[in-house]
Amino acid sequence: MFKPTAVVTGGAGFLGSHLCDRLLAEGMKVYCVDNLITGNLDNIAHLFGNENFTYIKHDVTNFIHIPGRVDYILHFASPASPIDYLKLPIQTLKVGSLGTHKALGLAKEKKARFLIASTSEVYGDPTIHPQKEEYWGNVNPIGPRGVYDEAKRFSEALTMAYNRYHGVETRIVRIFNTYGPRMRLDDGRALPAFVGQALRGEDITVFGDGSQTRSFCYVSDLVDGIFRLLMSNEIYPVNIGNPSEITIKQFAEEVIKHTATKSKIIYKDLPEDDPKVRQPDITRAKSILGWSPKVDRQEGLKITIDYFKKRIAHLLV
Ligand code: NAD
Ligand code: UDP
């Protein structure tokens, strides 16, 4: 029986591995291409016995070879947490530029539909709230976060150029903060940092005074929005995220409550260019894709905390 073939770059990462699961469940063959720079084979270990799944260890800033027909390419390779991209600035710029070029070249060659994982970071430290797709953003190109933000902005520009000049079918998803099982405990993002600290009984490190806001989306909701976008005809960017906004201090307090820890909040310096607010306007996702998030933070946090408890118990063995 015919099965469409999808390539997921960054498929051994947090989001990429959940996407591999979803595409396989949709009846596709999946090639996962990842150099494991921030990913982990544990995330895809359960797929190794699946005849429709192939893992290729490869750095996508170099020519990508995939045998045979390819129908969909989802370009998710990139360091994504601030700690990772501050540690890997050149690799981040390269995978966003050279890597996106190679992945688009593969899409052109194979006449495949291409979807790029963009980010709310293209809006930088936003002066419009909540953020609509029409907003062009407020990004410091030479600040420490510029390596990630500008790589993603370049990726979007290159994607539109391949659409306009080569006729490649393209999709752009702007992903807002997403969380769930398979995040790395040590990736430095707020959720794994707070949960790890809470479960170990350490102080919870809130940066700045904690009044900055974020809007956290549970991973299954995000993956559903991405799949709908992939199957849609929409070429312009679509925000996917959960509009439920919370300050980082309140978020730390929620983690304390859910983990029943005795940990206390301590305050550390706010990193340079840390956005003060972030909340997706999902009007386009709702109207074009019929999508809105289903999992609220209480439920998502519970599942994610249980996952981290098991990871920590396992690491201690
Ligand atoms: P992640 O670090 O878990 O996954 C990224 C994966 O890409 C890793 O497996 C890594 O090894 C791989 N990779 C990096 N450079 C590579 C290269 N040159 N060649 C091959 N593989 C490479 O991060 P994530 O949270 O799963 O993010 C995935 C994508 O989604 C990224 O493009 C990120 O920018 C985007 N995104 C994520 C979020 C979020 O909240 N998680 C928000 C916005 C955008
Ligand atoms: N943050 C924090 N303590 C931590 C890690 C992060 O207070 O240990 C803050 C960070 O400064 C930012 C917010 O939490 O304001 C979300 O950070 P994250 O790294 O998760 O993602 P970002 O949205 O900044 O890319």
Side-chain angles (χ1 to χ4, degrees), residues 82 85 121 145 177 188-191 193-194 197 205-207 212 214 216 248 270-271 274-275 278:
Y85 60 73
E121 282 284 317
R145 295 174 89 102
N177 296 65
R189 289 186 261 203
L191 184 136
F194 293 169
Q197 290 161 344
T205 55
V206 165
F207 298 159
Q212 70 273 31
R214 294 294 185 272
F216 294 96
I248 291 301
L270 189 67
D274 198 279
R278 190 184 283 154

PDB file of all heavy atoms in Angstrom, residues 82 85 121 145 177 188-191 193-194 197 205-207 212 214 216 248 270-271 274-275 278, ligand 2:
ATOM      1  N   PRO A  82      17.467  28.873  25.068  1.00  0.00           N
ATOM      2  CA  PRO A  82      18.460  29.960  25.131  1.00  0.00           C
ATOM      3  C   PRO A  82      19.847  29.479  25.567  1.00  0.00           C
ATOM      4  O   PRO A  82      20.856  29.872  24.984  1.00  0.00           O
ATOM      5  CB  PRO A  82      17.838  30.944  26.113  1.00  0.00           C
ATOM      6  CG  PRO A  82      16.358  30.747  25.939  1.00  0.00           C
ATOM      7  CD  PRO A  82      16.190  29.274  25.679  1.00  0.00           C
ATOM      8  N   TYR A  85      21.499  27.740  22.510  1.00  0.00           N
ATOM      9  CA  TYR A  85      21.970  28.562  21.389  1.00  0.00           C
ATOM     10  C   TYR A  85      23.003  29.601  21.804  1.00  0.00           C
ATOM     11  O   TYR A  85      23.772  30.075  20.974  1.00  0.00           O
ATOM     12  CB  TYR A  85      20.837  29.108  20.506  1.00  0.00           C
ATOM     13  CG  TYR A  85      19.782  30.000  21.105  1.00  0.00           C
ATOM     14  CD1 TYR A  85      20.061  31.310  21.462  1.00  0.00           C
ATOM     15  CD2 TYR A  85      18.468  29.558  21.248  1.00  0.00           C
ATOM     16  CE1 TYR A  85      19.064  32.141  21.957  1.00  0.00           C
ATOM     17  CE2 TYR A  85      17.465  30.376  21.743  1.00  0.00           C
ATOM     18  CZ  TYR A  85      17.762  31.662  22.099  1.00  0.00           C
ATOM     19  OH  TYR A  85      16.789  32.479  22.587  1.00  0.00           O
ATOM     20  N   GLU A 121      10.210  33.987  18.625  1.00  0.00           N
ATOM     21  CA  GLU A 121      11.395  34.853  18.749  1.00  0.00           C
ATOM     22  C   GLU A 121      11.569  35.772  17.547  1.00  0.00           C
ATOM     23  O   GLU A 121      12.326  36.738  17.624  1.00  0.00           O
ATOM     24  CB  GLU A 121      12.660  34.012  18.935  1.00  0.00           C
ATOM     25  CG  GLU A 121      12.839  33.472  20.347  1.00  0.00           C
ATOM     26  CD  GLU A 121      13.318  34.525  21.345  1.00  0.00           C
ATOM     27  OE1 GLU A 121      14.221  35.310  21.014  1.00  0.00           O
ATOM     28  OE2 GLU A 121      12.777  34.548  22.454  1.00  0.00           O
ATOM     29  N   ARG A 145      20.831  36.830  21.809  1.00  0.00           N
ATOM     30  CA  ARG A 145      19.754  36.021  21.239  1.00  0.00           C
ATOM     31  C   ARG A 145      19.662  36.178  19.732  1.00  0.00           C
ATOM     32  O   ARG A 145      18.930  35.440  19.064  1.00  0.00           O
ATOM     33  CB  ARG A 145      18.400  36.416  21.849  1.00  0.00           C
ATOM     34  CG  ARG A 145      18.268  36.127  23.324  1.00  0.00           C
ATOM     35  CD  ARG A 145      16.959  36.676  23.870  1.00  0.00           C
ATOM     36  NE  ARG A 145      15.873  35.741  23.782  1.00  0.00           N
ATOM     37  CZ  ARG A 145      15.403  35.006  24.802  1.00  0.00           C
ATOM     38  NH1 ARG A 145      15.931  35.112  25.997  1.00  0.00           N
ATOM     39  NH2 ARG A 145      14.409  34.179  24.640  1.00  0.00           N
ATOM     40  N   ASN A 177       6.361  29.149  23.140  1.00  0.00           N
ATOM     41  CA  ASN A 177       6.897  28.237  24.181  1.00  0.00           C
ATOM     42  C   ASN A 177       6.055  26.971  24.344  1.00  0.00           C
ATOM     43  O   ASN A 177       4.882  27.052  24.697  1.00  0.00           O
ATOM     44  CB  ASN A 177       6.947  28.943  25.540  1.00  0.00           C
ATOM     45  CG  ASN A 177       7.893  30.113  25.563  1.00  0.00           C
ATOM     46  OD1 ASN A 177       7.665  31.110  24.866  1.00  0.00           O
ATOM     47  ND2 ASN A 177       8.958  30.020  26.330  1.00  0.00           N
ATOM     48  N   GLY A 188      17.794  24.226  30.417  1.00  0.00           N
ATOM     49  CA  GLY A 188      17.833  25.613  30.889  1.00  0.00           C
ATOM     50  C   GLY A 188      16.547  26.378  30.677  1.00  0.00           C
ATOM     51  O   GLY A 188      16.415  27.504  31.143  1.00  0.00           O
ATOM     52  N   ARG A 189      15.579  25.792  29.946  1.00  0.00           N
ATOM     53  CA  ARG A 189      14.322  26.512  29.767  1.00  0.00           C
ATOM     54  C   ARG A 189      13.576  26.533  31.105  1.00  0.00           C
ATOM     55  O   ARG A 189      13.823  25.696  31.983  1.00  0.00           O
ATOM     56  CB  ARG A 189      13.475  25.863  28.668  1.00  0.00           C
ATOM     57  CG  ARG A 189      14.086  26.107  27.295  1.00  0.00           C
ATOM     58  CD  ARG A 189      13.210  25.607  26.158  1.00  0.00           C
ATOM     59  NE  ARG A 189      13.642  24.311  25.681  1.00  0.00           N
ATOM     60  CZ  ARG A 189      13.360  23.842  24.454  1.00  0.00           C
ATOM     61  NH1 ARG A 189      12.679  24.564  23.601  1.00  0.00           N
ATOM     62  NH2 ARG A 189      13.777  22.644  24.085  1.00  0.00           N
ATOM     63  N   ALA A 190      12.655  27.493  31.236  1.00  0.00           N
ATOM     64  CA  ALA A 190      12.019  27.723  32.544  1.00  0.00           C
ATOM     65  C   ALA A 190      11.398  26.440  33.097  1.00  0.00           C
ATOM     66  O   ALA A 190      11.649  26.090  34.257  1.00  0.00           O
ATOM     67  CB  ALA A 190      10.970  28.822  32.415  1.00  0.00           C
ATOM     68  N   LEU A 191      10.621  25.725  32.283  1.00  0.00           N
ATOM     69  CA  LEU A 191       9.899  24.584  32.851  1.00  0.00           C
ATOM     70  C   LEU A 191      10.825  23.483  33.368  1.00  0.00           C
ATOM     71  O   LEU A 191      10.747  23.118  34.549  1.00  0.00           O
ATOM     72  CB  LEU A 191       8.858  24.032  31.876  1.00  0.00           C
ATOM     73  CG  LEU A 191       8.062  22.905  32.527  1.00  0.00           C
ATOM     74  CD1 LEU A 191       6.594  23.031  32.242  1.00  0.00           C
ATOM     75  CD2 LEU A 191       8.573  21.549  32.117  1.00  0.00           C
ATOM     76  N   ALA A 193      13.920  23.683  34.138  1.00  0.00           N
ATOM     77  CA  ALA A 193      14.762  24.230  35.218  1.00  0.00           C
ATOM     78  C   ALA A 193      13.974  24.217  36.525  1.00  0.00           C
ATOM     79  O   ALA A 193      14.439  23.685  37.544  1.00  0.00           O
ATOM     80  CB  ALA A 193      15.218  25.649  34.875  1.00  0.00           C
ATOM     81  N   PHE A 194      12.752  24.750  36.507  1.00  0.00           N
ATOM     82  CA  PHE A 194      11.956  24.859  37.739  1.00  0.00           C
ATOM     83  C   PHE A 194      11.585  23.468  38.275  1.00  0.00           C
ATOM     84  O   PHE A 194      11.671  23.210  39.471  1.00  0.00           O
ATOM     85  CB  PHE A 194      10.670  25.661  37.496  1.00  0.00           C
ATOM     86  CG  PHE A 194      10.890  27.128  37.187  1.00  0.00           C
ATOM     87  CD1 PHE A 194       9.839  27.917  36.723  1.00  0.00           C
ATOM     88  CD2 PHE A 194      12.131  27.727  37.363  1.00  0.00           C
ATOM     89  CE1 PHE A 194      10.027  29.269  36.438  1.00  0.00           C
ATOM     90  CE2 PHE A 194      12.331  29.087  37.079  1.00  0.00           C
ATOM     91  CZ  PHE A 194      11.268  29.848  36.610  1.00  0.00           C
ATOM     92  N   GLN A 197      14.645  21.694  39.713  1.00  0.00           N
ATOM     93  CA  GLN A 197      15.020  22.290  41.006  1.00  0.00           C
ATOM     94  C   GLN A 197      14.020  21.871  42.089  1.00  0.00           C
ATOM     95  O   GLN A 197      14.410  21.495  43.193  1.00  0.00           O
ATOM     96  CB  GLN A 197      15.058  23.823  40.868  1.00  0.00           C
ATOM     97  CG  GLN A 197      16.228  24.305  40.008  1.00  0.00           C
ATOM     98  CD  GLN A 197      16.038  25.733  39.463  1.00  0.00           C
ATOM     99  OE1 GLN A 197      14.931  26.278  39.458  1.00  0.00           O
ATOM    100  NE2 GLN A 197      17.122  26.330  38.991  1.00  0.00           N
ATOM    101  N   THR A 205      15.170  29.213  40.535  1.00  0.00           N
ATOM    102  CA  THR A 205      15.842  30.422  40.048  1.00  0.00           C
ATOM    103  C   THR A 205      14.956  31.194  39.075  1.00  0.00           C
ATOM    104  O   THR A 205      14.863  30.857  37.896  1.00  0.00           O
ATOM    105  CB  THR A 205      17.146  30.048  39.319  1.00  0.00           C
ATOM    106  OG1 THR A 205      16.805  29.095  38.288  1.00  0.00           O
ATOM    107  CG2 THR A 205      18.173  29.440  40.259  1.00  0.00           C
ATOM    108  N   VAL A 206      14.309  32.249  39.589  1.00  0.00           N
ATOM    109  CA  VAL A 206      13.534  33.132  38.701  1.00  0.00           C
ATOM    110  C   VAL A 206      14.451  34.271  38.262  1.00  0.00           C
ATOM    111  O   VAL A 206      15.130  34.881  39.090  1.00  0.00           O
ATOM    112  CB  VAL A 206      12.282  33.665  39.437  1.00  0.00           C
ATOM    113  CG1 VAL A 206      11.670  34.854  38.700  1.00  0.00           C
ATOM    114  CG2 VAL A 206      11.263  32.554  39.605  1.00  0.00           C
ATOM    115  N   PHE A 207      14.485  34.527  36.956  1.00  0.00           N
ATOM    116  CA  PHE A 207      15.356  35.591  36.441  1.00  0.00           C
ATOM    117  C   PHE A 207      14.599  36.921  36.460  1.00  0.00           C
ATOM    118  O   PHE A 207      13.410  36.968  36.124  1.00  0.00           O
ATOM    119  CB  PHE A 207      15.814  35.270  35.013  1.00  0.00           C
ATOM    120  CG  PHE A 207      16.634  33.993  34.918  1.00  0.00           C
ATOM    121  CD1 PHE A 207      16.772  33.321  33.706  1.00  0.00           C
ATOM    122  CD2 PHE A 207      17.288  33.460  36.030  1.00  0.00           C
ATOM    123  CE1 PHE A 207      17.521  32.156  33.605  1.00  0.00           C
ATOM    124  CE2 PHE A 207      18.042  32.293  35.946  1.00  0.00           C
ATOM    125  CZ  PHE A 207      18.152  31.632  34.729  1.00  0.00           C
ATOM    126  N   GLN A 212       8.064  39.163  33.844  1.00  0.00           N
ATOM    127  CA  GLN A 212       7.965  38.881  32.402  1.00  0.00           C
ATOM    128  C   GLN A 212       6.965  37.749  32.189  1.00  0.00           C
ATOM    129  O   GLN A 212       6.832  36.872  33.045  1.00  0.00           O
ATOM    130  CB  GLN A 212       9.346  38.542  31.797  1.00  0.00           C
ATOM    131  CG  GLN A 212       9.980  37.231  32.191  1.00  0.00           C
ATOM    132  CD  GLN A 212      10.806  37.300  33.471  1.00  0.00           C
ATOM    133  OE1 GLN A 212      10.509  38.071  34.371  1.00  0.00           O
ATOM    134  NE2 GLN A 212      11.829  36.469  33.585  1.00  0.00           N
ATOM    135  N   ARG A 214       5.060  34.616  29.756  1.00  0.00           N
ATOM    136  CA  ARG A 214       5.130  33.641  28.665  1.00  0.00           C
ATOM    137  C   ARG A 214       3.775  32.945  28.601  1.00  0.00           C
ATOM    138  O   ARG A 214       2.977  33.020  29.548  1.00  0.00           O
ATOM    139  CB  ARG A 214       6.232  32.592  28.903  1.00  0.00           C
ATOM    140  CG  ARG A 214       7.662  33.130  28.878  1.00  0.00           C
ATOM    141  CD  ARG A 214       8.081  33.638  27.508  1.00  0.00           C
ATOM    142  NE  ARG A 214       9.491  34.039  27.494  1.00  0.00           N
ATOM    143  CZ  ARG A 214       9.948  35.245  27.810  1.00  0.00           C
ATOM    144  NH1 ARG A 214       9.124  36.192  28.212  1.00  0.00           N
ATOM    145  NH2 ARG A 214      11.248  35.509  27.728  1.00  0.00           N
ATOM    146  N   PHE A 216       2.419  29.095  27.739  1.00  0.00           N
ATOM    147  CA  PHE A 216       2.985  27.758  27.532  1.00  0.00           C
ATOM    148  C   PHE A 216       1.966  26.813  26.885  1.00  0.00           C
ATOM    149  O   PHE A 216       0.831  26.700  27.346  1.00  0.00           O
ATOM    150  CB  PHE A 216       3.459  27.173  28.864  1.00  0.00           C
ATOM    151  CG  PHE A 216       4.619  27.931  29.460  1.00  0.00           C
ATOM    152  CD1 PHE A 216       4.406  28.923  30.410  1.00  0.00           C
ATOM    153  CD2 PHE A 216       5.925  27.671  29.047  1.00  0.00           C
ATOM    154  CE1 PHE A 216       5.477  29.633  30.961  1.00  0.00           C
ATOM    155  CE2 PHE A 216       6.994  28.369  29.589  1.00  0.00           C
ATOM    156  CZ  PHE A 216       6.776  29.354  30.544  1.00  0.00           C
ATOM    157  N   ILE A 248       6.370  34.704  34.940  1.00  0.00           N
ATOM    158  CA  ILE A 248       7.313  33.621  35.260  1.00  0.00           C
ATOM    159  C   ILE A 248       7.307  33.338  36.769  1.00  0.00           C
ATOM    160  O   ILE A 248       7.436  32.193  37.199  1.00  0.00           O
ATOM    161  CB  ILE A 248       8.720  33.972  34.719  1.00  0.00           C
ATOM    162  CG1 ILE A 248       8.703  33.925  33.181  1.00  0.00           C
ATOM    163  CG2 ILE A 248       9.785  33.044  35.275  1.00  0.00           C
ATOM    164  CD1 ILE A 248       8.311  32.566  32.573  1.00  0.00           C
ATOM    165  N   LEU A 270      18.295  39.106  35.127  1.00  0.00           N
ATOM    166  CA  LEU A 270      17.541  38.830  33.897  1.00  0.00           C
ATOM    167  C   LEU A 270      18.525  38.785  32.729  1.00  0.00           C
ATOM    168  O   LEU A 270      19.330  39.702  32.561  1.00  0.00           O
ATOM    169  CB  LEU A 270      16.519  39.956  33.677  1.00  0.00           C
ATOM    170  CG  LEU A 270      15.491  39.736  32.573  1.00  0.00           C
ATOM    171  CD1 LEU A 270      14.553  38.590  32.934  1.00  0.00           C
ATOM    172  CD2 LEU A 270      14.692  41.016  32.335  1.00  0.00           C
ATOM    173  N   PRO A 271      18.500  37.722  31.909  1.00  0.00           N
ATOM    174  CA  PRO A 271      19.414  37.678  30.757  1.00  0.00           C
ATOM    175  C   PRO A 271      19.155  38.839  29.794  1.00  0.00           C
ATOM    176  O   PRO A 271      18.035  39.346  29.715  1.00  0.00           O
ATOM    177  CB  PRO A 271      19.075  36.339  30.084  1.00  0.00           C
ATOM    178  CG  PRO A 271      18.348  35.538  31.113  1.00  0.00           C
ATOM    179  CD  PRO A 271      17.672  36.508  32.018  1.00  0.00           C
ATOM    180  N   ASP A 274      15.948  39.583  27.210  1.00  0.00           N
ATOM    181  CA  ASP A 274      14.875  38.630  27.552  1.00  0.00           C
ATOM    182  C   ASP A 274      13.524  39.324  27.278  1.00  0.00           C
ATOM    183  O   ASP A 274      13.241  40.377  27.841  1.00  0.00           O
ATOM    184  CB  ASP A 274      14.991  38.289  29.042  1.00  0.00           C
ATOM    185  CG  ASP A 274      14.249  37.035  29.436  1.00  0.00           C
ATOM    186  OD1 ASP A 274      13.024  37.118  29.628  1.00  0.00           O
ATOM    187  OD2 ASP A 274      14.898  35.987  29.556  1.00  0.00           O
ATOM    188  N   PRO A 275      12.680  38.742  26.397  1.00  0.00           N
ATOM    189  CA  PRO A 275      11.405  39.420  26.087  1.00  0.00           C
ATOM    190  C   PRO A 275      10.545  39.628  27.338  1.00  0.00           C
ATOM    191  O   PRO A 275      10.443  38.739  28.179  1.00  0.00           O
ATOM    192  CB  PRO A 275      10.731  38.450  25.107  1.00  0.00           C
ATOM    193  CG  PRO A 275      11.855  37.689  24.497  1.00  0.00           C
ATOM    194  CD  PRO A 275      12.878  37.536  25.586  1.00  0.00           C
ATOM    195  N   ARG A 278       5.013  37.785  26.136  1.00  0.00           N
ATOM    196  CA  ARG A 278       4.851  36.938  24.945  1.00  0.00           C
ATOM    197  C   ARG A 278       3.518  36.190  25.032  1.00  0.00           C
ATOM    198  O   ARG A 278       3.275  35.480  26.001  1.00  0.00           O
ATOM    199  CB  ARG A 278       6.014  35.953  24.825  1.00  0.00           C
ATOM    200  CG  ARG A 278       6.001  35.239  23.494  1.00  0.00           C
ATOM    201  CD  ARG A 278       7.074  34.215  23.413  1.00  0.00           C
ATOM    202  NE  ARG A 278       8.392  34.751  23.175  1.00  0.00           N
ATOM    203  CZ  ARG A 278       9.504  34.127  23.557  1.00  0.00           C
ATOM    204  NH1 ARG A 278       9.429  32.998  24.216  1.00  0.00           N
ATOM    205  NH2 ARG A 278      10.680  34.631  23.266  1.00  0.00           N
TER     206      ARG A 278
HETATM  207  N1  UDP B   2      13.726  31.791  33.297  1.00  0.00           N
HETATM  208  C1  UDP B   2      13.856  31.893  34.669  1.00  0.00           C
HETATM  209  N2  UDP B   2      14.597  30.954  35.328  1.00  0.00           N
HETATM  210  C2  UDP B   2      15.209  29.911  34.705  1.00  0.00           C
HETATM  211  C3  UDP B   2      15.045  29.792  33.290  1.00  0.00           C
HETATM  212  C4  UDP B   2      14.305  30.745  32.625  1.00  0.00           C
HETATM  213  O1  UDP B   2      13.303  32.821  35.294  1.00  0.00           O
HETATM  214  O2  UDP B   2      15.886  29.108  35.383  1.00  0.00           O
HETATM  215  C5  UDP B   2      12.941  32.811  32.590  1.00  0.00           C
HETATM  216  C6  UDP B   2      13.637  33.422  31.362  1.00  0.00           C
HETATM  217  O3  UDP B   2      14.439  34.513  31.741  1.00  0.00           O
HETATM  218  C7  UDP B   2      12.430  33.862  30.527  1.00  0.00           C
HETATM  219  C8  UDP B   2      11.362  32.803  30.856  1.00  0.00           C
HETATM  220  O4  UDP B   2      11.774  32.186  32.069  1.00  0.00           O
HETATM  221  O5  UDP B   2      11.961  35.120  30.955  1.00  0.00           O
HETATM  222  C9  UDP B   2      11.219  31.728  29.782  1.00  0.00           C
HETATM  223  O6  UDP B   2      12.519  31.253  29.487  1.00  0.00           O
HETATM  224  P1  UDP B   2      12.808  30.025  28.521  1.00  0.00           P
HETATM  225  O7  UDP B   2      14.282  29.812  28.539  1.00  0.00           O
HETATM  226  O8  UDP B   2      11.937  28.885  28.920  1.00  0.00           O
HETATM  227  O9  UDP B   2      12.330  30.474  27.079  1.00  0.00           O
HETATM  228  P2  UDP B   2      12.290  31.866  26.273  1.00  0.00           P
HETATM  229  O10 UDP B   2      10.844  32.161  26.205  1.00  0.00           O
HETATM  230  O11 UDP B   2      13.029  32.947  27.020  1.00  0.00           O
HETATM  231  O12 UDP B   2      12.911  31.527  24.977  1.00  0.00           O
END
